[in-house]
Amino acid sequence: MEQEFELIAKTFMGLEPVLAQELTQLGVNNVEIGRRMVSFTGNKEMMYRANFQLHTAIRILKPIHHFNAKSADDVYNEVSKVDWSQFLDLKNTFSVDSVVFSEEFRHSKFVAYKVKDAIVDQFREKTGQRPNVSVTNPDIRLHIHIADDKATLSLDSSGESLHRRGYRQESVDAPLNEVLAAGMIMMSGWDGKTDFIDPMCGSGTLLIEAALIARNMSPGIFRKEYAFEKWKDFDKDLFDFIYNDDSRERDFEHHIYGYDVDIKAVNTAKRNVRAAGLTKDITVSVQDFKDFQQPESKSIIITNPPYGERISTPNLLNTYKMIGEVLKHQFQGNDAWILSYREECFEQIGLRPSIKVPVYNGSLECEFRKYQMFEGKLKVFRSEGNILKTEEEKAAMAEKHRFKKNREFKKRLEEDEANETGDIRSFKFHAHNPAYEEPKMFREARERKNRYSDSDDFKNEGGYRGSRGFKNKGDFRGKNFKGRGGDFKGKRDFRDRDNFKGSDNRKFDKFKKHDYKNRRFDNED
C-alpha cells in the first residue's frame, strides 16, 4: 500500500466541522480541525479524491517541509535544504504564495521572494540556469505559511480555488461562493429526501450545489484542470479512474425550485443550471417571494437575501418583515434557513430561530439561522411533544461563540480575520493584534467636516448636506461624501474585495456526450 503523507484542506471560517465530516466520509485518517483548515493524512489517491470530491474545501495543500524561521535568512537557508529537482525542472515555471502571522516579517511578499530566491539560486549553482516564475499560470504552485516562528512549506495541489467549479456561465451582483453554499446546505442536514427551495436564487448557486449534494456528484466534474496534473509523479490512470467513477452517485426523487423577482437573475440561473446538466432536477422561474404559496410536498428553504451591503432593496427592513410573514403563513410544517448579516434584519423576520450558526460571507460576519415553522403557538407546539432543538444541536450551539448583540451596524473583519479567497497568489500580511488605524482620506475628511460644522458656510442647520453645503468654492467641497450623513463614495473600495464573479466558461450542450481531456461523461440532460 502506498505510504500516507500529511495533507491540509483549507476552507472558510465556520465550515471546518462540515469539511472534517466530509473528509471522514471520504476515508482519510488522522483528521484534525484547525482554524480555516482541517489537517489529515492520506495517499495520492486520497489527495486526488479530496480535490475532486470535497464540496467545502477551497484548496488542498501537501506540506513538504516544516521549520522554524526567525529571520529572512532562516527562510532562505531552510528552503535551500529541499532538493527542488524532485519537484521542478528548468523548463517548469513556478509561483509562491505566502501567508504570514508574525512580527518578525514585515511583509508576506518579502517572504515569498526569499523562497523564490532560494529555489532559483539552488538551480543556478547546480546547472548554471534557473527556472522562471509565472504568477498567472505556473506549472508548480508553492505555499508558505508562517505563524510566529513556525513555518510550513507546501505544494498546492489544487491550483485555482476549488470553489471555481466550472459550471458558472454568468453571474449576478454579489454571487454566493460555491463552497459557502455547499457548506450551508450540509449544515442544514438536507440530504435530498425532500424538495429544496431558494425563493431568492440569484444566479442559482444554492440550487446547483443542492443538486450535486442530492445526487452525491463530485463538484470537480466540471473543472478544467488541477495543479497536481503538472506534477512529476502525476498518475493519469489513477485520476482518470477517479474522474470516471460514478459508483457513489445516487438517485434524487424530489425536486429543486428556484425563484427570483429579477428576470435577468432567473435567465442567468437557467444558463448555469443548463451548463451543469441539471435541468431535470432544477426548475427556475420568476416570482416575488411575497407571492410564495405553501408547497404541496415536504420542503426546505435555504436562501441568502440581500443584506443592504453589495445588494439592497428599496426598503430592506420591510423585505425581511415580508419574509417572516410569508414563512409564518405559507411554509407551515417545514424548515427554513436564512443567511444574513444585520441583526436589524433578523429582528424584522419576527420569528424565533431554533439554531444560529456563525459563518463568514467574504469579510462579513454573518449568521445562518434555522426557523422551524409550525401552526399555532410555541407553547402548544411543545405540549404536543415537539422540540425546536435536539440535545445534539443544543450542545453544538453551546460550543459556538455567539456574535455580540450590540455590534456595529457596519462592522467588518480586520485584515487578519478575512477569509482566504480563490486567488491565493494575492499576498497577505497579518500582524498580531493589529491596532486599527483610520485611513488618511477618512480622517482628513472627518476633520474638515468637524471644522466647518459650526460655521456660517452651512446652508442648513440640520447638518452636513454634501458639497452644496459650502458657499465658498475654495472650501472643502465634500467630494469624498455622498448625501446626508457623510457616507464615503469610496467605501466600495473597502468592501468585498475578494468577491468572485464567474468561473470557467466551458459549456455542456444538451443530449450530447462529451470527451474532455480524454475523460468521458454523459450530461444529465
Side-chain angles (χ1 to χ4, degrees), residues 166-170 208 221-222 268-279 504-510 514 521 523-525:
Y167 60 69
R168 192 191 291 274
Q169 303 300 296
E170 295 183 33
I208 297 172
I221 193 73
F222 312 105
T268 297
K270 286 181 177 179
R271 281 189 283 270
N272 291 336
V273 168
R274 191 178 302 114
L278 296 168
T279 54
D504 297 314
N505 289 326
R506 187 163 61 88
K507 295 187 176 180
F508 300 91
D509 297 328
K510 294 177 69 175
H514 303 273
F521 62 94
N523 198 348
E524 284 295 323
D525 293 342

Side-chain angles (χ1 to χ4, degrees), residues 24-65:
T24 301
Q25 293 172 348
L26 194 62
V28 305
N29 298 316
N30 304 310
V31 176
E32 292 187 14
I33 295 177
R35 186 166 179 248
R36 295 189 305 216
M37 54 81 73
V38 178
S39 63
F40 62 102
T41 59
N43 55 20
K44 187 184 295 184
E45 178 181 353
M46 283 302 173
M47 183 182 69
Y48 291 174
R49 288 191 179 277
N51 276 283
F52 188 68
Q53 295 177 358
L54 293 177
H55 295 263
T56 57
I58 52 180
R59 66 184 61 256
I60 309 298
L61 302 176
K62 180 183 179 181
I64 56 175
H65 189 32

Side-chain angles (χ1 to χ4, degrees), residues 449 458 460 462-467 470 476-478 481 483-486:
K449 177 185 173 183
F458 262 86
N460 190 320
Y464 177 73
R465 293 179 59 83
S467 61
F470 290 94
F476 172 68
R477 295 180 61 83
F481 295 86
R484 187 187 302 270

Side-chain angles (χ1 to χ4, degrees), residues 137-333:
N137 188 29
D139 296 316
I140 303 296
R141 297 172 185 261
L142 303 172
H143 177 96
I144 183 167
H145 181 278
I146 299 180
D148 293 326
D149 63 344
K150 293 180 173 28
T152 301
L153 183 62
S154 305
L155 293 172
D156 177 3
S157 69
S158 303
E160 227 181 10
S161 171
L162 296 177
H163 89 278
R164 297 182 181 270
R165 312 290 204 215
Y167 60 69
R168 192 191 291 274
Q169 303 300 296
E170 295 183 33
S171 184
V172 295
D173 291 337
L176 190 65
N177 184 288
E178 290 87 339
V179 164
L180 176 57
M184 290 164 55
I185 296 166
M186 290 182 169
M187 279 191 285
S188 76
W190 185 74
D191 54 5
K193 295 181 180 179
T194 67
D195 286 352
F196 182 100
I197 302 170
D198 181 359
M200 298 180 172
C201 68
S203 59
T205 304
L206 277 166
L207 308 177
I208 297 172
E209 292 299 322
L212 295 178
I213 291 170
R215 289 195 171 276
N216 205 26
M217 291 174 59
S218 298
I221 193 73
F222 312 105
R223 286 268 295 201
K224 185 169 66 174
E225 64 178 4
Y226 295 90
F228 62 72
E229 294 183 74
K230 296 182 180 179
W231 290 6
K232 285 187 173 184
D233 65 347
F234 173 56
D235 188 334
K236 183 178 182 300
D237 292 336
L238 174 60
F239 185 54
D240 284 348
F241 170 76
I242 294 170
Y243 191 100
N244 290 294
D245 179 17
D246 59 0
S247 61
R248 297 171 64 254
E249 294 183 14
R250 56 182 176 237
D251 293 333
F252 176 48
E253 298 177 354
H254 293 273
H255 203 72
I256 297 169
Y257 299 93
Y259 306 101
D260 203 286
V261 70
D262 183 358
I263 189 170
K264 180 180 178 182
V266 168
N267 289 334
T268 297
K270 286 181 177 179
R271 281 189 283 270
N272 291 336
V273 168
R274 191 178 302 114
L278 296 168
T279 54
K280 289 191 299 184
D281 297 325
I282 301 172
T283 300
V284 188
S285 55
V286 178
Q287 178 178 281
D288 196 323
F289 195 7
K290 66 182 177 62
D291 299 322
F292 184 83
Q293 297 294 316
Q294 178 79 30
E296 296 180 1
S297 304
K298 185 75 174 176
S299 305
I300 186 174
I301 281 179
I302 300 180
T303 193
N304 175 40
Y307 309 159
E309 291 300 308
R310 291 174 290 172
I311 299 178
S312 189
T313 62
N315 194 324
L316 185 67
L317 297 183
N318 275 352
T319 297
Y320 279 81
K321 185 176 181 180
M322 175 270 293
I323 291 173
E325 290 294 323
V326 171
L327 292 179
K328 182 177 180 179
H329 298 292
Q330 299 294 337
F331 205 58
Q332 295 175 359

